[in-house]
Amino acid sequence: MRVVIGSFSHESNTFNPVQMQLEEFHPQYGEDVLTTLESPLRSSLHGIYQVLQNAGAEIIPTVYARATPGGVVSRQAFDTVSGQLLATVAAAGSVDGVCLHLHGSMTVADIGDAEGHLLTEVRRLVGPDVPIAVSLDMHAMVTPAMLHSANAFVGFRTAPHVDAFETGHTAATLLVDSLQQGYQLTTAAVSLPMLVSGEQSETEKYPMNHLIQVLKETDQQVGILASSYFLGFPWADVPYNLGSAVVVSRQDPELAANTAVALAEEFWKYHKDFQFTTEAYRFEEALAVAQMHDGGLVCIADCGDNPGAGGSENIVYPLQHMLAAVQKRAFFGAIHDPAAVRACQEAGVGGTVSVVLGKLSIAPDSPGLSLTGTVKQVGQLGKLVTTAAAVLRVTGIDVLITEERAMMLDPQDLVELGLDLADYDILVLKSGYLDPQYEAVATKGLLALTPGFTNQIFVDLEYKQVPRPLYPLDKNIEFDPKAYLIQ
Ligand SMILES: [Zn+2]
């Protein structure tokens, strides 16, 4: 059994005007991919790899490329990585299957639907009879081009996402089982005309907890191999931004279609029930609530400028307010500002630095914030993506600054940078929902509905291309799931 594998993923925020460049993907090609897959990380491609290894498959590695969410992917970056993937597939000759991990919300300059484009090309190379199975992020936009090119899609069932490995594992298991037992994977999808942010759809909370349970029950039905709900990506202003219910069947297109219709119908019953499940306030109010809390560490997610959903991660408006209002021991970060990191590195720990940090708003001509502080730490931040970082202490607030954009995934990253969490009462994090490791150290979590490219108030965003009607931009939509079956 010869199987092509690869992973090329990005969540592209079309409101962020800064395009993603090739080096931000840290791409690996060919045999180098296998070296990474020997590591103990638990990515989707690791899950795919484990299944194929256990099945004794001959594995043909193509690419492994992923970047922090950000703006639209540059044409050059996309063409380079996808070009390598396609060249490897073309050179591989006859193969039995293809198993990829893609995000599902990658948008490319001039192209748009990255996954549809890539899968169309892969299908053209391998021919109509080779099964293609794909694992996707929960925030995927499943398009007709994707559905027509691949045989099976499976998505994450957790938000925050902690089942990437398992989802890759499922996709590869679908592929291997179908090859070994000689049946076809057939998939149907029904689109859902709505936008919902991750912060309103955490899978441990209502209504997603119920809907995930529905998927688990669906998987038990005879002839159904996998079912998924995809939520789309609210900060992609593209004409195919829709959620979906997707069902993979054992060679039964009609069963797949009927089941996808039923799943879409079930989802729609709850479409008005998605709410913030964490207390959510304007930033000023969130800070005031945090300052009144006496029970330990409070984490405030500055969720309008969340790098985890493609924010620019350099909006310092919350820091400006903190400097005026904070009375407790506070941390703010990370701010993406390579020049400020360099200034801190040059001054060294203990040195005094004056910088103009970040931007006060997303306006292209927005000024930054002039600050003078003492350098507290310089070093590296992060494990999956490592970046140079510095901590600048300004009027009692520790400000984390990074050379590359960096998601706040794990407080241990701060400890490794030389900070002590016991020194803080309040962490203001460039984040959406708190990742589980921050959840574990916080006695209280708050969402601050800040302005930025990941603004949670969708009606305030200037959508021009999304399909209409679309909830919550449009209310009282007549939803007939059969009419939304992707043909
Ligand atoms: Zn996601």
Side-chain angles (χ1 to χ4, degrees):
M1 181 172 23
R2 304 185 74 227
V3 180
V4 169
I5 67 165
S7 176
F8 183 20
S9 63
H10 188 249
E11 189 172 75
S12 311
N13 181 320
T14 66
F15 295 100
N16 183 341
V18 181
Q19 288 191 2
M20 298 296 297
Q21 303 303 325
L22 181 62
E23 59 276 12
E24 295 176 88
F25 283 86
H26 305 276
Q28 292 166 304
Y29 303 113
E31 295 298 315
D32 287 348
V33 174
L34 297 183
T35 311
T36 299
L37 292 177
E38 296 299 339
S39 75
L41 290 172
R42 291 178 64 81
S43 75
S44 295
L45 193 58
H46 283 77
I48 290 169
Y49 181 59
Q50 189 187 77
V51 170
L52 292 170
Q53 251 192 335
N54 290 346
E58 182 191 336
I59 296 169
I60 301 156
T62 57
V63 303
Y64 188 18
R66 69 281 185 217
T68 301
V72 163
V73 177
S74 74
R75 187 68 197 265
Q76 191 259 345
F78 179 76
D79 285 351
T80 303
V81 176
S82 63
Q84 287 277 353
L85 191 156
L86 296 169
T88 310
V89 174
S94 169
V95 298
D96 299 298
V98 177
C99 197
L100 303 175
H101 174 71
L102 306 172
H103 186 286
S105 288
M106 188 195 297
T107 300
V108 180
D110 308 328
I111 290 179
D113 174 14
E115 289 84 2
H117 189 88
L118 183 61
L119 289 170
T120 301
E121 292 301 307
V122 173
R123 172 58 73 203
R124 197 173 54 75
L125 289 172
V126 299
D129 301 326
V130 172
I132 301 174
V134 181
S135 63
L136 296 170
D137 188 280
M138 180 182 271
H139 300 107
M141 306 177 274
V142 174
T143 65
M146 290 166 69
L147 194 67
H148 296 155
S149 303
N151 301 76
F153 294 99
V154 287
F156 298 166
R157 286 183 174 180
T158 59
H161 306 320
V162 293
D163 64 339
F165 179 89
E166 288 76 7
T167 309
H169 202 278
T170 302
T173 302
L174 289 175
L175 183 79
V176 168
D177 286 354
S178 73
L179 288 171
Q180 288 178 339
Q181 296 172 37
Y183 56 80
Q184 286 180 4
L185 301 168
T186 51
T187 299
V190 173
S191 298
L192 295 160
M194 69 179 294
L195 302 173
V196 59
S197 73
E199 286 65 31
Q200 298 191 345
S201 52
E202 288 164 276
T203 49
E204 299 268 298
K205 314 266 177 74
Y206 174 87
M208 273 311 278
N209 56 358
H210 163 70
L211 291 164
I212 297 297
Q213 189 56 37
V214 170
L215 295 180
K216 290 177 181 167
E217 287 161 16
T218 301
D219 287 355
Q220 302 306 314
Q221 293 178 30
V222 175
I224 303 294
L225 300 173
S227 56
S228 306
Y229 282 125
F230 295 103
L231 303 182
F233 179 57
W235 298 286
D237 186 19
V238 293
Y240 44 84
N241 193 348
L242 294 158
S244 56
V246 175
V247 175
V248 184
S249 76
R250 181 176 170 133
Q251 210 164 282
D252 192 338
E254 199 177 323
L255 176 66
N258 290 339
T259 310
V261 164
L263 282 180
E265 213 152 29
E266 182 67 12
F267 192 99
W268 196 254
K269 286 184 200 163
Y270 300 91
H271 78 284
K272 291 181 179 169
D273 290 0
F274 291 91
Q275 307 288 341
F276 293 118
T277 52
T278 303
E279 289 174 59
Y281 304 99
R282 290 188 307 121
F283 185 75
E284 293 78 357
E285 291 166 317
L287 189 62
V289 169
Q291 301 215 89
M292 285 190 295
H293 181 77
D294 278 331
L297 186 66
V298 182
C299 288
I300 302 176
D302 172 6
C303 64
D305 186 27
N306 168 21
S312 55
E313 203 198 336
N314 64 353
I315 308 299
V316 289
Y317 157 75
L319 177 60
Q320 184 185 40
H321 179 72
M322 288 168 76
L323 289 168
V326 90
Q327 288 147 6
K328 289 195 163 183
R329 301 171 305 159
F331 165 96
F332 176 71
I335 286 291
H336 172 228
D337 192 328
V341 171
R342 272 196 300 281
C344 292
Q345 288 167 334
E346 282 162 18
V349 173
T352 300
V353 171
S354 292
V355 291
V356 179
L357 190 69
K359 287 178 154 211
L360 284 169
S361 79
I362 56 172
D365 55 353
S366 167
L369 186 61
S370 296
L371 300 170
T372 298
T374 309
V375 180
K376 182 168 173 173
Q377 296 289 349
V378 289
Q380 299 283 317
L381 184 86
K383 285 184 271 295
L384 267 177
V385 178
T386 303
T387 174
V391 179
L392 188 63
R393 192 169 181 78
V394 187
T395 342
I397 300 171
D398 285 346
V399 182
L400 173 64
I401 311 166
T402 55
E403 186 177 34
E404 289 185 48
R405 290 180 318 110
M407 293 194 275
M408 304 304 287
L409 297 173
D410 187 350
Q412 189 60 31
D413 294 343
L414 303 184
V415 174
E416 285 169 18
L417 187 59
L419 301 180
D420 185 348
L421 292 183
D423 289 343
Y424 304 110
D425 303 304
I426 300 170
L427 305 181
V428 178
L429 303 169
K430 292 285 185 188
S431 177
Y433 45 51
L434 292 180
D435 275 282
Q437 285 88 339
Y438 274 104
E439 197 76 71
V441 298
T443 61
K444 190 176 185 64
L446 300 170
L447 282 182
L449 303 176
T450 45
F453 295 121
T454 59
N455 191 333
Q456 292 273 348
I457 313 300
F458 301 154
V459 290
D460 288 349
L461 290 164
E462 288 185 23
Y463 291 103
K464 294 190 181 78
Q465 297 201 49
V466 290
R468 307 298 284 265
L470 191 65
Y471 186 83
L473 308 181
D474 305 297
K475 317 286 184 201
N476 303 320
I477 299 170
E478 289 287 332
F479 178 63
D480 171 9
K482 289 196 182 75
Y484 279 87
L485 186 69
I486 297 180
Q487 300 289 349

